[in-house]
């Protein structure tokens, strides 16, 4: 007998992870857009993601739609709690999508305007996603399986700190992606952006981790820290979990070390390891909870017959999405220059 709630929880978790990793680097391109030296460099930056940016957002649709269909109780609680940052995120995605297409067709002042809108939409989306994540981590007020908090519960110093970390993380992904996809002066700029972003990610990730332990005691307990009376550590709990931050540290060292050595590809894979580490850390902190800290994923799941029917359709569509995504990345592999590009 298939454990359908667990399967769907895994599918949604993987979809969100793929979205963060894949759309993260093209959001990072937008975040870095204002720092490019010229219109030509911005054209190359945009052309590196032109074939894949819209496909990357497929995973957000799968994650959000899957949450609604497979875990309707969780959706009904989380959405009212996070309506405003979700709307900000959608507004940012729409703005950057429109700007992406219009910028290539605009001239002079129009192009400058859409350049600013692309950067602004990317930053807005990243900040909103950070606020959503921060609001999720700090927990949602639930009473009678309904959201019982206020409309601005998600806006706290902690969530702003998380948002800053997400912006820095996406900039790291974007910079390391450009290192892999560009050459000459732009590659050198991307290397500098990557190293600066790596330093920012290191500081912000440490700050968020420490703040999480002291602000959210349940997570501290999950990781083996007892902060109720002083500071005590349960090493039997903490020791196996240390592999997760070790993975993130290895990713950061890979980014910095390989970037300084002039590697074109390894810094990007190191950036992916950093995000994978953070995601695994979230899983270790919350599973099996899907609405922190009150509702588990089994409690929130739809009936098995509905989950089974959706799984049949997903088992057909998901391999097609994966195959198409892999094919696009393969076709548009290699370096991008001013003379080549999706829009040429």
């Amino acid at each position: 007998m298939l454990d359908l709630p667990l399967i769907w929880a895994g599918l949604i978790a993987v979809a969100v992870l793929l979205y963060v990793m894949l759309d993260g680097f093209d959001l990072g391109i937008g975040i870095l857009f204002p720092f490019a030296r010229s219109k030509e460099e911005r054209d190359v930056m945009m052309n590196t993601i032109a074939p894949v940016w819209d496909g990357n957002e497929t995973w957000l649709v799968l994650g959000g739609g899957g949450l609604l269909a497979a875990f309707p109780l969780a959706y009904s609680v989380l959405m009212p709690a996070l309506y405003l940052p979700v709307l900000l995120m959608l507004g940012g995605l729409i703005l950057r999508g429109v700007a992406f297409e219009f910028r290539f067709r605009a001239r002079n002042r129009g192009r400058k305007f859409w350049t600013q809108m692309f950067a602004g939409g990317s930053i807005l989306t990243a900040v909103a996603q950070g606020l959503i994540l921060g609001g999720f981590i700090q927990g949602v007020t639930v009473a009678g399986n309904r959201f019982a908090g206020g409309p601005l519960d998600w806006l706290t110093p902690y969530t702003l700190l998380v948002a800053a970390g997400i912006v820095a993380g996406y900039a790291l992904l974007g910079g390391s992606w450009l290192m892999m996809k560009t050459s000459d002066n732009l590659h050198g700029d991307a290397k500098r952006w990557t190293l600066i972003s790596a330093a920012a990610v290191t500081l912000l990730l440490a700050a968020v981790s420490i703040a999480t332990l002291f602000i959210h005691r349940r997570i501290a307990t999950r990781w083996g820290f007892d902060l109720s009376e002083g500071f005590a550590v349960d090493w039997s709990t903490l020791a196996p979990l240390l592999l997760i931050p070790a993975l993130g540290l290895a990713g950061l060292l890979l980014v910095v070390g390989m970037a300084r050595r002039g590697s074109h590809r390894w810094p990007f894979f190191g950036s992916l390891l950093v995000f994978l580490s953070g995601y695994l850390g979230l899983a270790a902190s919350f599973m099996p909870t899907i609405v922190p800290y009150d509702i588990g994923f089994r409690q929130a799941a739809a009936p098995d017959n509905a989950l089974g029917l959706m799984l049949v359709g997903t088992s057909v569509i998901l391999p097609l999405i994966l195959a198409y995504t892999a094919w696009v990345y393969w076709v548009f592999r290699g370096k991008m220059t001013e003379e080549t590009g999706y829009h040429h």
Side-chain angles (χ1 to χ4, degrees):
M1 188 69 177
L2 294 176
D3 189 343
L4 293 173
L6 181 61
I7 291 173
W8 270 102
L11 285 174
I12 292 172
V14 170
V16 173
L17 175 62
L18 287 173
Y19 169 75
V20 169
M21 286 183 167
L22 298 180
D23 204 41
F25 70 75
D26 61 55
L27 285 169
I29 298 296
I31 293 168
L32 296 172
F33 228 50
F35 303 103
R37 302 187 189 193
S38 64
K39 177 186 76 67
E40 289 73 23
E41 284 197 352
R42 283 187 284 271
D43 288 345
V44 174
M45 291 169 68
M46 192 169 269
N47 271 318
T48 65
I49 59 172
V52 298
W53 73 272
D54 47 355
N56 291 341
E57 293 177 359
T58 302
W59 302 105
L60 179 63
V61 176
L62 179 59
L67 182 67
L68 169 63
F71 301 99
L73 176 59
Y75 187 91
S76 69
V77 174
L78 290 173
M79 280 302 295
L82 301 169
Y83 265 139
L84 289 177
V86 168
L87 289 176
L88 288 175
M89 179 188 71
L90 294 176
L93 288 171
I94 293 170
L95 179 60
R96 72 188 299 271
V98 172
F100 197 104
E101 297 299 333
F102 278 33
R103 183 182 176 276
F104 280 107
R105 292 163 175 78
R107 298 180 182 274
N108 301 326
R109 285 184 298 177
R111 177 174 284 243
K112 183 177 180 180
F113 171 78
W114 290 115
T115 293
Q116 294 170 343
M117 292 301 100
F118 179 70
S122 300
I123 294 170
L124 176 61
T125 301
V127 170
Q129 289 179 3
L131 293 172
I132 292 169
L133 176 60
F136 179 85
I137 295 173
Q138 72 181 10
V140 175
T141 304
V142 179
N145 286 337
R146 294 183 179 182
F147 173 61
L152 296 178
D153 285 358
W154 51 270
L155 186 59
T156 65
Y158 175 78
T159 61
L160 292 173
L161 180 63
V162 175
I166 291 295
V167 172
Y170 284 169
L172 175 63
L173 282 173
S176 56
W177 170 261
L178 288 174
M179 286 188 67
M180 185 169 63
K181 298 292 289 184
T182 63
S183 55
D184 301 327
N185 290 335
L186 183 53
H187 176 82
D189 289 341
K191 176 181 176 180
R192 186 177 71 255
W193 298 335
T194 298
L195 292 173
I196 293 172
S197 299
V201 167
T202 302
L203 294 175
L204 288 167
L205 187 57
V208 169
S209 299
I210 294 171
T212 301
L213 293 177
F214 281 94
I215 295 174
H216 310 296
R217 298 298 176 88
R218 298 186 190 184
I219 295 179
T221 302
R222 180 71 70 91
W223 282 77
F225 295 101
D226 183 2
L227 306 178
S228 57
E229 296 180 2
F231 185 86
V233 179
D234 180 359
W235 287 103
S236 63
T237 300
L238 177 61
L241 294 175
L242 287 177
L243 293 173
I244 296 174
L247 179 65
L249 179 60
L252 285 169
L253 292 175
L254 186 63
V255 170
V256 175
M258 291 295 102
R260 287 179 173 174
R261 290 187 180 185
S263 172
H264 287 222
R265 295 180 181 273
W266 284 109
F268 181 67
F269 293 113
S271 302
L272 294 179
L273 284 180
V274 173
F275 272 83
L276 177 60
S277 169
Y279 202 72
L280 292 175
L282 288 173
S285 300
F286 291 108
M287 284 298 291
T289 303
I290 196 171
V291 179
Y293 295 86
D294 297 281
I295 300 175
F297 73 90
R298 296 188 188 280
Q299 178 186 352
D304 276 1
N305 58 350
L307 295 177
L309 180 61
M310 291 188 296
L311 186 61
V312 172
T314 303
S315 64
V316 175
I317 295 173
L318 190 57
L320 295 176
I321 296 174
L322 289 169
Y324 172 77
T325 301
W327 178 74
V328 169
Y329 276 90
W330 174 255
V331 169
F332 293 97
R333 67 192 183 279
K335 296 285 186 179
M336 193 69 63
T337 66
E338 293 182 17
E339 290 73 31
T340 60
Y342 187 66
H343 280 81
H344 281 267

